[in-house]
């Protein structure tokens, strides 16, 4: 939230170089009285896309979200999963230097989750943006990241190769140094 500019740090400074695409809450800012189509433009503009860029990527966004038949319907008639799919689809198509992802990215049914997961992996393979992921799902962290920062009670507990950090975390849980339920 600090990197995305939603929250102001209580101390310290964050310097960001480049465009940030937050996938923290994909449905945040969507308007229930507007249609899916209108929300694509609203969300895209909110994330810093230009109108022409949205138009150029429109079909790809809609195809990725899988809601083509519902574009003319007001968002208030969408299911929560449809709203999140739409928001995620817009956000994942922003040309960003830094993409912030939290567990909200794993939305929708298994097929959409797999497609989202593949899109993030594809972005990593092409070394496009920096991907910053926050998750309590250790397997997702293991599969999606090369380097991991484990924070415990607001302090750095470990930073390094993902496998080593996860192993250190699991050992701390097993040994009782960290109560069950806390995660990196």
């Amino acid at each position: 939230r600090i990197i995305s500019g939603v929250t102001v740090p209580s101390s310290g400074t964050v310097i960001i170089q480049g465009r940030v695409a937050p996938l923290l809450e994909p449905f945040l800012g969507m308007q229930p009285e507007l249609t899916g189509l209108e929300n694509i433009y609203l969300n895209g503009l909110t994330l810093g896309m230009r109108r022409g860029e949205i138009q150029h990527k429109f079909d790809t966004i809609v195809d990725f979200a899988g809601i083509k038949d519902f574009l003319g319907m007001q968002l208030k008639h969408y299911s929560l999963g449809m709203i999140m799919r739409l928001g995620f689809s817009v956000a994942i198509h922003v040309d960003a230097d830094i993409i912030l992802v939290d567990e909200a990215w794993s939305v929708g049914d298994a097929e959409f989750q797999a497609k989202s997961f593949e899109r993030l992996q594809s972005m990593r393979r092409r070394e496009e943006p920096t991907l910053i992921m926050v998750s309590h799902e250790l397997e997702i962290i293991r599969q999606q990241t090369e380097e991991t920062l484990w924070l415990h009670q607001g302090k750095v507990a470990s930073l390094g190769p993902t496998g080593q950090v996860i192993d250190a975390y699991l050992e701390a849980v097993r040994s009782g140094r960290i109560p069950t339920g806390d995660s990196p």
Side-chain angles (χ1 to χ4, degrees):
R1 290 182 171 267
I2 291 172
I3 294 171
S4 69
V6 172
T7 302
V8 177
S10 55
S11 65
T13 304
V14 175
I15 299 171
I16 300 165
Q17 295 179 341
R19 189 177 191 184
V20 176
L23 278 70
L24 305 175
E25 297 175 38
F27 59 94
L28 194 63
M30 295 231 166
Q31 298 300 312
E33 297 298 321
L34 298 178
T35 66
L37 184 147
E38 293 165 330
N39 271 287
I40 288 173
Y41 281 91
L42 176 64
N43 201 5
L45 292 168
T46 301
L47 292 172
M49 295 173 80
R50 293 188 171 87
R51 188 171 191 71
E53 182 182 2
I54 298 167
Q55 288 171 334
H56 177 71
K57 296 179 179 183
F58 185 83
D59 289 339
T60 307
I61 291 168
V62 172
D63 288 344
F64 192 90
I67 58 153
K68 183 178 183 178
D69 295 339
F70 304 96
L71 285 179
M73 183 185 298
Q74 289 178 313
L75 220 62
K76 67 183 177 183
H77 300 297
Y78 281 33
S79 68
L80 180 58
M82 290 169 68
I83 294 170
M84 293 186 76
R85 288 170 68 117
L86 182 61
F88 182 87
S89 184
V90 172
I92 201 73
H93 287 90
V94 172
D95 291 328
D97 302 299
I98 302 168
I99 295 184
L100 306 175
V101 181
D102 78 1
E103 290 164 314
W105 78 272
S106 58
V107 299
D109 56 29
E111 180 184 352
F112 187 77
Q113 288 180 18
K115 184 167 39 171
S116 301
F117 189 73
E118 175 53 37
R119 171 75 174 167
L120 291 174
Q121 286 183 324
S122 171
M123 293 169 76
R124 281 189 56 231
R125 282 192 298 270
R126 291 192 311 253
E127 297 181 25
E128 288 177 2
T130 297
L131 177 66
I132 299 175
M133 177 178 285
V134 178
S135 181
H136 294 96
E137 296 292 332
L138 299 181
E139 197 52 40
I140 290 173
I141 294 170
R142 191 181 304 273
Q143 292 173 6
Q144 286 290 324
T145 64
E146 296 168 8
E147 187 174 35
T148 296
L149 171 65
W150 164 24
L151 295 175
H152 183 69
Q153 297 178 340
K155 295 189 176 16
V156 175
S158 183
L159 170 65
T162 294
Q164 290 176 12
V165 173
I166 289 176
D167 291 346
Y169 166 73
L170 291 173
E171 177 56 33
V173 169
R174 279 192 288 273
S175 69
R177 293 189 314 255
I178 296 181
T180 304
D182 285 358
S183 60

